[in-house]
Each structure stands twice: as C-alpha cells, then as structure tokens.
Amino acid sequence: MSDVKNILLVGVGGQGIILASKILSTGLMNAGYDVKMSEVHGMAQRGGSVTTQVRFGKKVYSPIIGKGQADILVSFEKMETAKLIEYLNINGKVVINDFEIPSAPILAGKANYPEGIIEELKEKADVTVFKAADIAKELGNIRTMNVVMVGALVKALGLDDIDWEEVIKKTVKEKFIDINIKAFKKGMEQVK
C-alpha cells in the first residue's frame, strides 16, 4: 500500500488556489516529503474552474490524481465541489468554503445556482463546512480566504507539526505576512 497522500484543491479563477497549493507544497517539501503538483486552469481569468492536485509521500511518481483517489478535496467554492466529488476516495474528507461564485450561465440567466449541494455532499463523505470568506473579511482582507482554507486543510490532514508560519513568511509579500498567518490559524480552528 502506498504512503502517498492525494489532495485536490478546487475553485474558481481569482480565489488564490495556486498560491494555496504553493504554500502547501513548500511546507511539505520543507518537511522532507517528495511532492508533485499539477494545476489545471479552465477559463480561470473569466471565473472558470481551477484545480490543483498535490501528491506527497516518501516517493511520488506522478502529479496526477485519478478518480476515486483523492484523500481530501478542498473546495474554495461549493459548486466546484459537486463537479469533482468523483475524485474523492471512499474514506476521503471534504473541506468546503460555503461560498458561491455564479458561473457565466448563471449570471446570464440561463441556469440557476444549484441548491442543496452541501447536504448532498454530506451524504457521500466526511464533510467540514465553514465560511472562509467571512473569516477573511473579519480579519480585514477577503483575499486571505485561500490561506484560511490552507489552515483547515493542514489541520484536517494532521500536518500541524510543520512550521507553516515560516512557509507563509517566505511565500507571501512581506506586507501580507501577518494577516496571512492569522488567516492560517483561523482556518486551523475550523477543523475539529
């Protein structure tokens, strides 16, 4: 059996998913793991889907996670979770930001934002839901929502023994270090 852990991060362009994956990957590499990351941008600059896949362990041969293989799915936007739930393994966890970004068809009035997404997901998996955007706003910068999500992910995976503050200091712009460290800690508090 492989020791490799598979993390799938999903959301919409502009939510900071790539930075979140960079923080995560850097911390894991600093802790001595072999890490592979891949990213897929849909029409990211137009609010389209963005996913990153991060795999880590003693030795990782491929950056790609197949269907049914993700140990944890971290969703920055709840509709994106439903689109990619098939990648979660049977014992997988889901961490969801209860946040909506309407897609182009919804904005154009050609579709409605789906209802009951979180309830449906809770029937299929171990789900943690919280409002990362509200937490980021309370801290004073909605753009730290991605780091709130990283904190929750780290806690959900039991990776809190890594020096994440040091990683954040080296990854974000200097003027945003303090608020991002606060965001990370708030995210950790969301997972029991």
Side-chain angles (χ1 to χ4, degrees):
M1 188 163 143
S2 172
D3 72 319
V4 175
K5 290 282 185 201
N6 299 305
I7 304 165
L8 180 61
L9 294 96
V10 303
V12 172
Q15 286 192 289
I17 294 168
I18 305 300
L19 176 62
S21 298
K22 184 178 177 187
I23 291 169
L24 181 65
S25 297
T26 302
L28 292 167
M29 285 188 284
N30 290 354
Y33 291 104
D34 184 19
V35 180
K36 301 282 188 283
M37 182 184 125
S38 70
E39 47 190 75
V40 177
H41 306 262
M43 292 293 285
Q45 50 289 71
R46 302 194 196 290
S49 296
V50 174
T51 64
T52 62
Q53 300 179 359
V54 178
R55 303 184 72 223
F56 72 98
K58 283 185 188 139
K59 184 68 186 151
V60 180
Y61 294 97
S62 167
I64 305 300
I65 299 170
K67 289 181 181 175
Q69 292 182 335
D71 296 296
I72 189 160
L73 188 155
V74 180
S75 178
F76 290 57
E77 197 282 343
K78 65 184 183 185
M79 186 167 53
E80 295 299 315
T81 322
K83 291 180 186 176
L84 294 163
I85 194 70
E86 65 191 341
Y87 282 85
L88 192 68
N89 74 35
I90 196 135
N91 298 311
K93 295 180 181 179
V94 183
V95 176
I96 302 174
N97 178 18
D98 188 357
F99 190 71
E100 296 178 8
I101 298 177
S103 63
I106 293 168
L107 290 171
K110 296 184 183 341
N112 294 320
Y113 196 96
E115 292 183 22
I117 293 171
I118 290 172
E119 295 73 22
E120 202 174 298
L121 292 167
K122 283 183 175 179
E123 292 175 14
K124 298 176 182 174
D126 175 1
V127 176
T128 299
V129 182
F130 61 96
K131 295 184 178 288
D134 291 355
I135 293 166
K137 280 183 202 166
E138 284 170 25
L139 291 171
N141 187 340
I142 185 126
R143 295 182 60 83
T144 63
M145 178 174 66
N146 59 341
V147 181
V148 173
M149 295 301 292
V150 173
L153 166 60
V154 162
K155 181 72 178 213
L157 284 174
L159 294 169
D160 17 5
D161 57 339
I162 295 170
D163 188 351
W164 293 103
E165 286 188 29
E166 192 58 33
V167 174
I168 290 168
K169 286 176 187 171
K170 287 188 163 91
T171 312
V172 303
K173 290 181 181 163
E174 190 174 346
K175 65 182 179 179
F176 298 117
I177 290 171
D178 290 343
I179 196 166
N180 277 289
I181 289 172
K182 287 177 188 169
F184 180 84
K185 289 177 178 175
K186 285 285 187 189
M188 288 186 74
E189 291 171 10
Q190 304 310 307
V191 177
K192 307 297 176 238

